[in-house]
Amino acid sequence: MADFYLPNTNRFPVAHIGLDVTSFRVSEPFYTKTFGALDWSKTFATPTAAGYGPGYFVFIIREKGECVTDRKGRGGTHIAFEAPTREAVHEWYEAAIKAGATGNGEPGPRTNVSKNYYAAHVLDPDGYRLEAVYHLTEEEEK
């Protein structure tokens, strides 16, 4: 059985993740800023969608039709992004808060998950649960 809390050595084995957002105007700058803290860039954009990734497309946001305007967010969705360093977890968290996120777990060790799990959690403007995670090396665990 795989240990799902080990570092992702494939960097991102999922083809991509897509989220419908209630306001592209609000969400696009939020994701541009927070992904910038992880050295991700916008890989494509249209008037109602944008794709991001670490040099290639892995994540997309798109504005959904007017039926979404009554939605209060997507608190049940959880997406974790690999951070290159422990410092990047902190930078991502600060960028997210400054861009309008709500803190949902400040940066720090998550020993309840794994002894090498270092993460931060936020809720984006639509209520999506997001996380930046770094897997500490053996030296960093000490």
Side-chain angles (χ1 to χ4, degrees), residues 1-6:
M1 171 89 41
D3 182 346
F4 293 100
Y5 298 113
L6 289 177

Side-chain angles (χ1 to χ4, degrees), residues 97-118:
I97 297 299
K98 288 178 183 172
T102 301
N104 198 31
E106 292 186 5
R110 302 293 191 265
T111 54
N112 60 317
V113 175
S114 175
K115 66 180 184 173
N116 72 342
Y117 205 85
Y118 194 93

Side-chain angles (χ1 to χ4, degrees), residues 48-69:
T48 59
Y52 300 89
Y56 52 93
F57 163 66
V58 294
F59 186 84
I60 183 174
I61 58 168
R62 60 190 164 261
E63 188 163 278
K64 199 164 180 184
E66 56 188 285
C67 63
V68 171
T69 58

Side-chain angles (χ1 to χ4, degrees), residues 72-125:
K72 300 249 190 264
R74 295 281 198 161
T77 299
H78 173 84
I79 303 168
F81 303 101
E82 292 277 346
T85 64
R86 183 174 19 196
E87 293 75 22
V89 171
H90 287 266
E91 291 171 11
W92 175 86
Y93 182 81
E94 292 302 319
I97 297 299
K98 288 178 183 172
T102 301
N104 198 31
E106 292 186 5
R110 302 293 191 265
T111 54
N112 60 317
V113 175
S114 175
K115 66 180 184 173
N116 72 342
Y117 205 85
Y118 194 93
H121 300 263
V122 300
L123 300 176
D124 84 346

Side-chain angles (χ1 to χ4, degrees), residues 19 27-36 52 59 61 124 130:
L19 297 180
S27 295
E28 186 274 335
F30 171 84
Y31 282 104
T32 298
K33 290 173 187 170
T34 58
F35 284 145
Y52 300 89
F59 186 84
I61 58 168
D124 84 346
L130 306 177

